[in-house]
Amino acid sequence: MTEQKIREKAHRNLGLVVYSEEELQRIIKLAENATDTSGNEKYDFIGWIHHNKDIDSETNTTKKEHYHILLKLAQPNKNSNKNITISAVAKQLKVEKNVIEILDCPYFSYHVKYLIHKQPKFQERGQYNPEEIQVVRNRTGKSIEDYLTDNKEIKKNLNYYINEIVNNRMTLECSRKTKRCIVKNYRY
């Protein structure tokens, strides 16, 4: 019997967590220099934040200091980057696959907001200021402020937000007067 190879899911938005500044700088440098087969830059966005006040909700103690690195692949209209697998990123950035976070939500603004724990479900971990996000490269056409105030992903990813509401991480309030519903407690 032969072993079948399972196809790995490809991603556009990538996150890494590391525990030393040296490792952070090493990975950032590799990401900055990464190119596709045509020589185009691999990432449109490279940013990071130092998390030094995260609270473990189970033990109510401060978690070990760490750095979050956020990467966004260059847009397909600029080059051949469409998606990349965790294995390919790990090889490119010379890290173990478990260092790379799978970012399930397809909207990049959600991940930028996570860096400062802006979403209510993450606020109990401790919040950070937007100025603490260190942007190494941003060729996305949007500023950090644009990402932090962007709520378009709510309309585009309705199933994701329905799940958040069902699990009591958000609420939905409807107005008879305007005949519209808005998401509450979802402070971006």
Side-chain angles (χ1 to χ4, degrees):
M1 189 182 282
T2 61
E3 188 178 314
Q4 289 184 347
K5 188 173 182 179
I6 298 171
R7 187 174 175 148
E8 193 176 1
K9 185 178 177 185
H11 302 276
R12 170 166 290 294
N13 303 321
L14 307 160
L16 293 88
V17 177
V18 297
Y19 292 90
S20 74
E21 190 170 352
E22 294 78 21
E23 183 70 351
L24 167 76
Q25 295 304 326
R26 186 189 70 73
I27 292 168
I28 293 294
K29 187 150 197 77
L30 288 169
E32 283 183 285
N33 294 325
T35 58
D36 65 12
T37 55
S38 301
N40 299 306
E41 291 176 338
K42 194 80 171 168
Y43 303 103
D44 273 348
F45 185 94
I46 303 169
W48 61 274
I49 191 168
H50 179 211
H51 277 197
N52 60 354
K53 53 189 172 194
D54 283 12
I55 303 295
D56 183 324
S57 59
E58 291 179 15
T59 63
N60 203 30
T61 58
T62 304
K63 290 183 179 181
K64 183 176 179 179
E65 290 186 31
H66 57 280
Y67 299 86
H68 286 274
I69 303 168
L70 185 57
L71 306 171
K72 180 179 180 66
L73 282 176
Q75 295 299 314
N77 61 350
K78 292 184 183 174
N79 57 44
S80 62
N81 294 332
K82 292 187 179 161
N83 290 306
I84 193 168
T85 65
I86 299 300
S87 295
V89 173
K91 183 177 179 182
Q92 183 180 74
L93 300 179
K94 298 180 172 95
V95 298
E96 296 295 321
K97 288 196 283 186
N98 66 343
V99 171
I100 302 165
E101 292 181 304
I102 296 170
L103 304 180
D104 291 328
C105 183
Y107 301 100
F108 191 67
S109 60
Y110 179 88
H111 305 297
V112 173
K113 292 169 189 175
Y114 173 79
L115 293 177
I116 62 169
H117 294 166
K118 193 159 186 181
Q119 299 95 327
K121 69 179 183 178
F122 300 121
Q123 288 177 359
E124 66 185 31
R125 295 181 184 181
Q127 291 188 276
Y128 297 86
N129 292 318
E131 297 80 31
E132 293 179 76
I133 299 172
Q134 304 299 309
V135 178
V136 177
R137 175 186 300 152
N138 185 0
R139 295 198 173 95
T140 64
K142 289 185 172 184
S143 69
I144 291 295
E145 183 62 30
D146 292 337
Y147 285 117
L148 294 175
T149 58
D150 181 12
N151 289 320
K152 285 189 288 187
E153 79 272 7
I154 292 173
K155 295 176 186 171
K156 292 180 181 176
N157 200 1
L158 192 55
N159 289 337
Y160 176 82
Y161 292 98
I162 288 171
N163 185 48
E164 294 292 294
I165 292 166
V166 167
N167 290 307
N168 294 319
R169 292 186 288 253
M170 294 181 198
T171 60
L172 185 67
E173 293 183 11
C174 298
S175 166
R176 289 183 185 163
K177 183 178 178 182
T178 63
K179 297 182 181 176
R180 289 187 161 184
C181 294
I182 58 170
V183 174
K184 287 286 192 176
N185 297 330
Y186 200 70
R187 295 176 288 260
Y188 282 140

